[in-house]
Each structure stands twice: as structure tokens, then as C-alpha cells.
Amino acid sequence: PLRRRRRAADAAPGLLLLLRARHRRSPARRAPDLAPRRVRPRAPDRRRLLALRGVARRQTGLATRPAVAPPRPPPERDFAGTPYVPVYVMLPLGVVSVKGEVAEADELVAQLRVLKAAGVDGVMVDCWWGNVEAHRPQEYNWAGYKRLFHIIRDLKLKLQVVMSFHECGGNVGDDVSIPLPEWVIEIGKSNPDIYFTDREGRRNTECLSWGIDKERVLQGRTAVEVYFDFMRSFRVEFDEYFEDGIISEIEVGLGACGELRYPSYAANHGWKYPGIGEFQCYDRYLQKNLRRAAEARGHAMWAKSPDNAGHYNSEPNNTGFFCDGGDYDSYYGRFFLNWYAQVLLDHADRVLMLARLAFEGSAIAVKVSGIHWWYKTASHAAELTAGFYNPCNRDGYAPIAQVLKKHGAALNFTCVELRTMDQHEVYPEALADPEGLVWQVLNAAWDAGIQVASENALPCYDRDGFNKTLENAKPRNDPDGRHLFGFTYLRLCSTLFEGPNLPEFERFVKRMHGEAVHDLRA
């Protein structure tokens, strides 16, 4: 018996190893009387989960995010007792037709009565060069505007009038077509260099090139002389409206869309947001100007425009000129961009000098566009192509403010209703920062000691957009108490009177006026 027990004990280790091997190969053949082991569940592989989620997103087109409660909107600020900021409303672009008639006059009067009851101070009207001086030089037809201004005066509203020396119809939001005067178009057929031109030779007929400001190519007159004659005619024709204080401000159109900028991002040339746009200096007059500047600098070889700046819909880092460390910051790049921006400043200087002469004693203003896309990059490419020399290491708006100060003009800036976070959610690739841009421009103007007004860049009917406008109009805790001196709402349309839109707008007007409202969000 003792020997048998020893032999069994010697064999036990081998038997045990055999049983374990069989168990690993065939779990189903485990002895039924053995209690099953508890197996701890394995933690999911995080990398595998992320990969699967990525596949799901690509297959469904949906972002699978964890369900979280939406953040509570911030409490609303009480603007009761704050400075009074007048509110104007832009009238429809085609409110006066080419035939000199007020479009849908009865409906317009009814809408203006509602706006007056809502507390609006006045309206803004575009006086289109293509309507007034349409057929022959220095033959002006102001009949339609006389009828419109009479309606506005009877309703005891104020007037902001825009000297619109550009065409209407080629930009976002344009719902009518008003070309440049016929006689100007005829000149352009034989001399297309009167228009801004891009690298491919495409002409932009929206407005005249600044290269002909001092060139007698418009039937014996220069471009600035044509603008001055138009403004002087308006001042004489509507003298009583100036004397009675009905016309509170003249906004002088200085470029594309009536704004001080090059037409660098024209939709009719294929541009789509957020493209960087293209330089617009290839007409022979601006090219001659560039050659002179290069020779004066002592570098005749710089008399050329960049050949690596991409196209209308490029991104900055896909170009050799605008990428980080690109040619925009080279010796040549700085020379070219300084020249390009100086042409813009010189144009503003010349036209504003004549505007001050034509409208002596009246308030004048200039609109500057809010080009907020690619603002978070080093080069600020979209601003550079538009003529604002504003890379991350230079303030491109202070020189503009100084020119406006020289002529006693106010600065009207756009996009005050936009939020950077909203832009990031919709177009994260645009690297936009409208809030940073607005802050820079407003402070550049205030530091120069000029007045600042603003308008919204896109249609706005919601409380969040109005609240953002209010915050920019009356900055919190500003030690100097600075604020906007006016706001113009874009634009009068039937949508403004639908549903809750009009009550929201009326509430906004009260707060801009410094009045109390009783439904502030806590």
C-alpha cells in the first residue's frame, strides 16, 4: 500500500498538468461537477472604441457626442441708465427704382410707422450713382429720392444717406440689380482698365479702380472729380433737409459694397467663404503706380504682384505667400503690402477731402468691412487681400483711423453681432475671430479720438445677437465711458415683422436707448 501511494503521488504533478492543458484547449469538456470560475470582464480597448466611433461618424455623417445638457445662457446685463445710442434701419436696396419711383410706397409707409412706434430714430438710404447719373455725365435725376425723403420727413424720422458709387447685385444679400451709369459702362468697354482686375485678368465692374482717381479717363474728368460733382449736386438739391436737421449723416462710399476695401472676395468671381480672396491691382493704372513705388524704393524688380498668393478660395497655409513664415513677411512682401494698403489710404484721403468740402458742416462717415475669417492666423490673409495691412505683428486699422480723423469722419464698422464661438462651431476651419477684430477696430478708432458707429453683418432677429451688439455698443466697465454713437440695423424686410421678431427688436431699441426692460434673463 505504501508503494502504491508513492507511485500515485509521483504521477500527480504530471496528471495535473495534463488536465490543465486539456481544459485550456477544450473548455466545453470541463468536468460537470467543477464549479465555474468567475471571470472579470475585460475593460474595453479605448483605441478600438474611438476607431469604431470614427467609422460610425463617417458612415452616418453624424457626430456621436455624449448627451450633455445645453449650457445655460448667461444672465442679461441691465442697460437702464446707460448712454443713448440712436438706432437706424437700412431701407431695401431698391427702394427707389431706376425710373425714379418709390417702390411699394404704401407698404413702406406702413412699415415705417411701425418702426417709428418701436422707437427707431431714423433710416439709412442708398443713393445709387447708377440711378441718378444714369445716362449722361452731370445730368442728375433726384426725383425718386425727393419723394422718398418727403415721406420720411413727414414721419419725423432722421436720414442717413449713403453716396453709393458702386453697383448693386453682385454681393451676398443683393436682391436687385443697379449697375454703374450707362456712360461709364460704355467707357469701360473700350478701356476695361478703369475697373479693378485680378491676376487672371478678370475685371470687377462693381466699382472703379482707385488707379484712375487722378486720371482724366471719364470724358475729361477724373474719378474723384466725378464723385465730388455727384456729392455737390446732392447737397444743393436737398439743402432744406440739411438745414432742418433731417439728414443727420452722409456715409461716403469708397469701394466695393460702399466699404473702404478692395473687391477681393467677389462672389461673381467664384469666391466662397472662407476663401482668402485675391489681390486686385492688375489694371494698368495700378501697375504703373506699383512700378513707380518700386523704383522710388530702389528695387525695380519689386514692381510685380505676388505669384504665390493662391486663388480666391485658397487657405493661407496652402500658399507660399500667406503661410506661416511666408513671403508676406519678407522684404519684398512688406514692401508690396505696404504699397497696396497705401493706395487704399490715399483714395480715402482724396475722396474725404472733397466730401468735407461738399458737405461742409455736416457729419460724414466711412464704412469699414469686418473681415474676421483667418484672423487667428499669423498673416490675416483675407484682410491683406482686401487692403488692410493687419498681420499679427502690425495694426492695420490705426492708419485708417488717422485718415478719418484728419477729415472729421466717423468710422462705421460691421459684424458687431457675431460671436467667435458661433463661427468656430459652424466653420472651425476658417479660424475666425469677429470678437477680437471688433475689439481691435473699435479701440483703434477710439484711441484716435473719432466717433464709431456699427451695423450688423448678417440678418439678426434673435436675442443673443442683439445682446452681443449691446455689449459692443456699451462696453462694460470702460474707464472712459466710451460707447458707439449710432447703430444701423440691416435691413428692413417683411421678416422683421413676423412672429416674435418685432418685439425682440423693439426690446433691443429700448436697451440701446438706455431704457429699462422688465424681462431680463437672470
Side-chain angles (χ1 to χ4, degrees):
L2 182 58
R3 261 191 233 106
R4 284 198 298 269
R5 284 196 295 269
R6 285 178 177 171
R7 284 197 299 268
D10 292 339
L15 182 61
L16 181 60
L17 290 173
L18 179 62
L19 290 173
R20 286 179 179 174
R22 289 178 177 176
H23 172 71
R24 282 196 295 268
R25 287 196 300 268
S26 309
R29 296 179 63 183
R30 180 185 299 158
D33 58 335
L34 293 176
R37 292 184 302 167
R38 292 189 178 182
V39 179
R40 180 177 296 177
R42 292 178 59 188
D45 187 339
R46 178 172 175 78
R47 287 177 296 179
R48 178 176 173 78
L49 284 176
L50 290 175
L52 290 173
R53 287 176 185 171
V55 171
R57 289 191 188 100
R58 290 191 294 272
Q59 290 176 345
T60 65
L62 300 174
T64 55
R65 298 178 179 176
V68 294
R72 289 188 60 186
E76 289 187 292
R77 182 176 152 200
D78 187 1
F79 288 93
T82 56
Y84 186 102
V85 177
V87 177
Y88 289 74
V89 175
M90 294 185 199
L91 295 189
L93 294 169
V95 64
V96 174
S97 69
V98 178
K99 297 179 180 179
E101 300 173 349
V102 179
E104 300 178 345
D106 292 339
E107 181 182 358
L108 176 65
V109 170
Q111 291 176 335
L112 292 178
R113 291 186 189 278
V114 174
L115 293 181
K116 178 67 176 179
V120 167
D121 296 270
V123 295
M124 175 179 275
V125 179
D126 285 277
C127 277
W128 296 101
W129 182 29
N131 275 356
V132 176
E133 198 179 357
H135 305 296
R136 282 176 291 277
Q138 294 181 285
E139 289 189 8
Y140 307 103
N141 178 14
W142 298 106
Y145 291 100
K146 285 185 175 180
R147 297 187 185 98
L148 175 63
F149 290 7
H150 182 76
I151 292 171
I152 293 169
R153 180 173 60 183
D154 285 350
L155 292 172
K156 295 181 170 52
L157 291 166
K158 299 284 187 180
L159 263 169
Q160 292 176 329
V161 184
V162 184
M163 302 286 101
S164 296
F165 297 114
H166 61 287
E167 74 173 8
C168 177
N171 293 289
V172 176
D174 290 356
D175 53 3
V176 297
S177 177
I178 304 173
L180 296 183
E182 294 174 3
W183 59 273
V184 173
I185 295 174
E186 286 300 315
I187 294 173
K189 290 179 180 178
S190 59
N191 181 14
D193 285 290
I194 67 173
Y195 302 121
F196 285 107
T197 307
D198 66 15
R199 184 165 53 92
E200 299 296 327
R202 288 172 291 192
R203 313 291 184 172
N204 190 309
T205 61
E206 182 180 355
C207 58
L208 298 180
S209 167
W210 301 333
I212 65 168
D213 276 1
K214 297 189 291 184
E215 301 283 345
R216 297 191 176 279
V217 295
L218 300 176
Q219 296 195 8
R221 291 186 294 168
T222 67
V224 293
E225 288 173 345
V226 170
Y227 304 147
F228 174 70
D229 291 341
F230 182 90
M231 293 186 287
R232 182 174 56 181
S233 173
F234 177 86
R235 178 61 181 84
V236 171
E237 199 70 35
F238 295 97
D239 178 70
E240 61 181 299
Y241 290 89
F242 285 94
E243 296 300 321
D244 294 341
I246 304 299
I247 295 178
S248 61
E249 181 183 87
I250 298 293
E251 185 173 284
V252 183
L254 292 176
C257 283
E259 300 168 336
L260 178 58
R261 65 171 178 88
Y262 289 87
S264 57
Y265 50 97
N268 56 5
H269 283 176
W271 175 85
K272 295 180 181 179
Y273 182 86
I276 60 175
E278 290 191 18
F279 292 114
Q280 303 290 314
C281 56
Y282 291 86
D283 64 85
R284 62 188 171 98
Y285 300 103
L286 286 180
Q287 286 293 299
K288 180 174 67 174
N289 189 313
L290 176 58
R291 285 194 299 272
R292 289 175 180 169
E295 290 168 1
R297 178 69 184 272
H299 298 284
M301 73 288 294
W302 286 354
K304 62 184 180 66
S305 303
D307 57 5
N308 59 346
H311 53 78
Y312 285 102
N313 294 314
S314 294
E315 296 183 4
N317 283 330
N318 292 336
T319 72
F321 192 79
F322 297 116
C323 65
D324 291 349
D327 291 344
Y328 80 93
D329 205 28
S330 65
Y331 288 112
Y332 158 73
R334 291 196 294 271
F335 159 77
F336 173 79
L337 292 172
N338 187 71
W339 168 81
Y340 191 71
Q342 190 62 47
V343 171
L344 176 147
L345 295 173
D346 290 344
H347 173 71
D349 187 32
R350 285 189 286 264
V351 177
L352 289 177
M353 179 182 66
L354 296 177
R356 175 53 62 203
L357 184 61
F359 301 114
E360 186 176 1
S362 300
I364 61 175
V366 170
K367 185 191 294 187
V368 175
S369 56
I371 302 178
H372 53 80
W373 52 104
W374 306 116
Y375 189 83
K376 289 184 177 181
T377 61
S379 62
H380 292 217
E383 292 169 85
L384 297 185
T385 58
F388 306 138
Y389 191 7
N390 190 55
C392 64
N393 58 354
R394 190 179 187 277
D395 186 352
Y397 298 98
I400 295 174
Q402 289 299 327
V403 172
L404 270 56
K405 180 180 181 179
K406 175 182 175 182
H407 300 288
L411 188 151
N412 184 14
F413 194 63
T414 62
C415 78
V416 292
E417 85 286 8
L418 300 182
R419 295 178 182 273
T420 298
M421 185 58 67
D422 295 340
Q423 296 298 309
H424 178 72
E425 290 179 356
V426 179
Y427 282 101
E429 67 275 16
L431 297 175
D433 188 5
E435 294 181 41
L437 176 63
V438 168
W439 186 245
Q440 179 187 356
V441 174
L442 295 190
N443 279 278
W446 283 331
D447 289 347
I450 64 175
Q451 291 184 318
V452 187
S454 68
E455 62 186 49
N456 50 307
L458 301 172
C460 178
Y461 307 103
D462 63 285
R463 185 168 298 189
D464 287 342
F466 288 139
N467 283 341
K468 185 60 184 176
T469 301
L470 282 157
E471 292 291 346
N472 285 322
K474 306 176 185 184
R476 187 192 299 268
N477 300 326
D478 188 283
D480 301 311
R482 299 177 299 188
H483 58 84
L484 298 183
F485 86 99
F487 174 78
T488 305
Y489 176 79
L490 181 151
R491 146 181 342 264
L492 178 64
C493 63
S494 59
T495 308
L496 180 59
F497 303 95
E498 295 175 357
N501 295 343
L502 183 61
E504 282 292 341
F505 178 70
E506 185 174 2
R507 181 180 186 272
F508 164 72
V509 172
K510 287 182 177 179
R511 301 176 78 198
M512 289 290 276
H513 289 170
E515 300 176 19
V517 296
H518 304 292
D519 59 344
L520 291 175
R521 185 171 59 213

